[in-house]
Amino acid sequence: MQITEQRENDMITISIEGRVDTNTSPQLQEAILKGFQKVNQIVLDFEKCVYVSSAGLRALLIGQKTANSKKGTMKLVHVPPILMSVLEVSGFVNILTIQ
């Protein structure tokens, strides 16, 4: 997995490429949490992400809880259909903001 971060004013966009699994989810979680130390708006771009495991879902849940506690926002964009189906089956579409 490769993560790139781009900051624009009070928002950080984190682009995820590859697989978010047990081995790589700590990197995603760390990027999200560090982002929330700098700003209150995080955008996660999943356009080049091909897989998210339950460990990856946990990282997203922790990110959303952090956003809520900081009165910030975290949204997912460019979610491929295969990942959207995982989010739907797991019920995460009711927890996360997805565009």
Side-chain angles (χ1 to χ4, degrees):
M1 179 186 72
Q2 183 176 357
I3 294 177
T4 54
E5 182 180 302
Q6 181 179 0
R7 184 170 180 171
E8 295 176 28
N9 300 322
D10 62 343
M11 179 179 73
I12 292 179
T13 300
I14 299 171
S15 299
I16 300 105
E17 183 174 346
R19 297 171 54 91
V20 182
D21 56 25
T22 303
N23 295 325
T24 59
S25 63
Q27 293 172 277
L28 176 58
Q29 181 176 324
E30 181 180 351
I32 294 169
L33 295 179
K34 282 187 176 181
F36 275 121
Q37 291 175 358
K38 301 172 192 172
V39 298
N40 278 342
Q41 295 181 29
I42 301 287
V43 175
L44 300 174
D45 187 342
F46 277 89
E47 184 173 17
K48 296 182 180 178
C49 184
V50 296
Y51 175 79
V52 176
S53 72
S54 59
L57 293 177
R58 181 179 182 274
L60 295 177
L61 182 60
I62 289 170
Q64 185 60 55
K65 287 184 176 187
T66 302
N68 294 345
S69 71
K70 293 184 162 280
K71 295 186 178 25
T73 60
M74 183 181 86
K75 67 180 173 181
L76 283 61
V77 298
H78 304 126
V79 179
I82 189 75
L83 298 183
M84 185 61 86
S85 65
V86 171
L87 295 172
E88 288 170 349
V89 168
S90 63
F92 273 60
V93 292
N94 301 320
I95 300 169
L96 303 173
T97 302
I98 304 170
Q99 291 184 332

